[in-house]
Amino acid sequence: MTLAEKIFNCFKQQESFTLNDAYQMNNEKPHETIRARIYENLGIRFERIAKGIYKTLDAEETCILLEGDGRDLSMLADNSVDCIFTDHPWLDLKSNKGGTRAFAEYDCFKYTLEDFKEKARVLKEGCFLVEILPAENENNYEYLYQIKQYAKEAGFIYYSKVPWKKGTFVSNTGRKAKNTQDVMIFSKGKARNMRYDKKKSDITGIDCYMSGCNGMLPTMFDVQPVSKNKKIHQSELPLALCEQILQYVTYEGEVVLDSFVGSGVIGEVALNIKRNCILIEILRENIEKIKKRFENNTMFKPIMEF
């Protein structure tokens, strides 16, 4: 049980509790550690109702939105999320022409080793990192190789790569027609046991699981992209794709992090399938669009700036 879960269980039957109450119930932990666990779970497990006074929230799934740089995860504790699922704004000026990323109208960058060390720090052992990446071509193959090397150096293990076929969409720029991106999946250390072992379960009479995600991954995800007239962000991922992927790599009630949000689709999917979600977005104009997307969802908690 995590410290946040312990604090929640201590006070879930009470109308409110103070920081001093939390310190007394967990006197083996430093005060700053207890405060940090409460602060990072505001909107998820706890709500601040006055200075130094908090209450627990119903155990319903929550999506919180933070305005800030998704490469800075310092507000998150070590081993605090169950999945990282993101489509970073990858810098590739030649390849960003045509298709769904035509002449990217947002700030792009290239990952560094430090980015993956931060991902590894906040992700729980055995859990999955999902990166949506461009299909390999003559412009980006070195960068895609570098990403895998950074992941390895940070302690991730390559798990699988599954192409996302964009239904009937085809872009005819470059040397060949394009209609795919790659879903790259890594685990932090050895993958946790999510895959049901039917043979062993039948023999033993108890449910047994093998190392790996929840089921055998498909040869490809065949999902139509979001139509241009329905997008709220230039590189928005389709709901159906994100839902399929999250079902493979998470359980209900777990925490998903998307640190380069764009459209907020990961948060919407997470709530639809009973996952908690932390969204980080740097652009205020995107923040406003995401808030509108969730305007009728009471489980969405915008927390501006960090």
Side-chain angles (χ1 to χ4, degrees):
M1 181 184 295
T2 67
L3 179 56
E5 290 169 341
K6 185 178 178 182
I7 297 169
F8 177 86
N9 288 333
C10 284
F11 301 111
K12 65 182 180 181
Q13 302 300 329
Q14 299 180 201
E15 289 188 4
S16 64
F17 68 94
T18 67
L19 284 176
N20 285 332
D21 294 333
Y23 298 155
Q24 292 173 17
M25 294 297 292
N26 301 276
N27 54 22
E28 77 284 2
K29 298 288 186 181
H31 289 185
E32 58 269 23
T33 300
I34 295 170
R35 286 198 303 273
R37 298 299 82 79
I38 293 173
Y39 292 164
E40 72 190 19
N41 280 274
L42 291 177
I44 299 176
R45 291 189 173 94
F46 310 111
E47 179 180 332
R48 183 178 183 272
I49 56 177
K51 185 175 181 179
I53 304 175
Y54 302 85
K55 70 175 183 178
T56 59
L57 295 173
D58 293 337
E60 291 183 283
E61 291 70 31
T62 304
C63 176
I64 64 172
L65 172 63
L66 304 174
E67 180 181 3
D69 185 354
R71 301 176 79 178
D72 176 10
L73 303 179
S74 59
M75 86 299 297
L76 298 177
D78 296 357
N79 307 303
S80 58
V81 301
D82 302 285
C83 174
I84 300 174
F85 183 167
T86 200
D87 177 11
H88 81 291
W90 30 273
L91 180 62
D92 183 356
L93 297 178
K94 291 183 179 180
S95 297
N96 280 354
K97 295 179 181 179
T100 54
R101 281 183 182 261
F103 302 102
E105 298 170 352
Y106 41 82
D107 291 333
C108 300
F109 65 86
K110 287 189 175 181
Y111 275 142
T112 66
L113 176 58
E114 290 305 311
D115 290 314
F116 281 89
K117 286 182 177 179
E118 269 295 270
K119 292 172 189 283
R121 181 184 66 79
V122 303
L123 190 63
K124 293 178 182 177
E125 195 69 27
C127 289
F128 293 101
L129 163 64
V130 180
E131 295 279 349
I132 306 296
L133 298 172
E136 185 177 293
N137 62 34
E138 71 276 15
N139 301 317
N140 63 25
Y141 71 93
E142 291 178 313
Y143 178 51
L144 296 178
Y145 173 78
Q146 187 66 73
I147 285 175
K148 296 168 194 172
Q149 290 302 110
Y150 286 151
K152 182 178 179 181
E153 290 181 53
F156 289 101
I157 295 175
Y158 179 97
Y159 184 77
S160 186
K161 180 178 76 172
V162 182
W164 163 33
K165 178 178 176 291
K166 301 180 181 181
T168 58
F169 169 84
V170 177
S171 170
N172 61 0
T173 61
R175 295 182 178 180
K176 70 172 186 177
K178 302 172 185 176
N179 80 330
T180 65
Q181 281 184 238
D182 286 328
V183 180
M184 186 74 68
I185 304 175
F186 303 91
S187 61
K188 179 182 171 182
K190 183 181 178 182
R192 59 178 174 162
N193 298 340
M194 297 183 74
R195 186 175 170 191
Y196 185 68
D197 188 336
K198 185 177 185 306
K199 183 176 180 180
K200 190 173 181 180
S201 298
D202 289 344
I203 293 172
T204 62
I206 58 175
D207 289 340
C208 299
Y209 295 84
M210 299 180 283
S211 173
C213 63
N214 187 15
M216 187 176 293
L217 290 165
T219 56
M220 71 169 58
F221 296 104
D222 190 348
V223 180
Q224 195 74 15
V226 183
S227 60
K228 288 185 178 181
N229 63 341
K230 293 184 178 180
K231 284 183 179 181
I232 67 171
H233 187 271
Q234 192 176 355
S235 58
E236 183 172 345
L237 297 173
L239 282 163
L241 173 69
C242 299
E243 181 172 332
Q244 287 183 51
I245 295 170
L246 279 180
Q247 295 278 16
Y248 279 110
V249 296
T250 60
Y251 290 125
E252 288 187 8
E254 293 191 331
V255 178
V256 179
L257 168 66
D258 180 0
S259 48
F260 308 105
V261 176
S263 69
V265 65
I266 301 296
E268 182 175 349
V269 170
L271 292 180
N272 286 347
I273 59 173
K274 300 185 182 300
R275 274 72 167 161
N276 296 291
C277 194
I278 300 170
L279 305 176
I280 305 176
E281 173 55 42
I282 195 169
L283 294 179
R284 177 58 65 92
E285 60 193 79
N286 289 342
I287 293 276
E288 296 306 316
K289 292 176 182 177
I290 295 164
K291 287 166 65 177
K292 188 172 182 180
R293 178 177 206 136
F294 288 92
E295 62 186 355
N296 296 319
N297 195 318
T298 59
M299 295 299 101
F300 175 68
K301 313 288 184 182
I303 301 177
M304 306 304 285
E305 299 183 355
F306 64 84

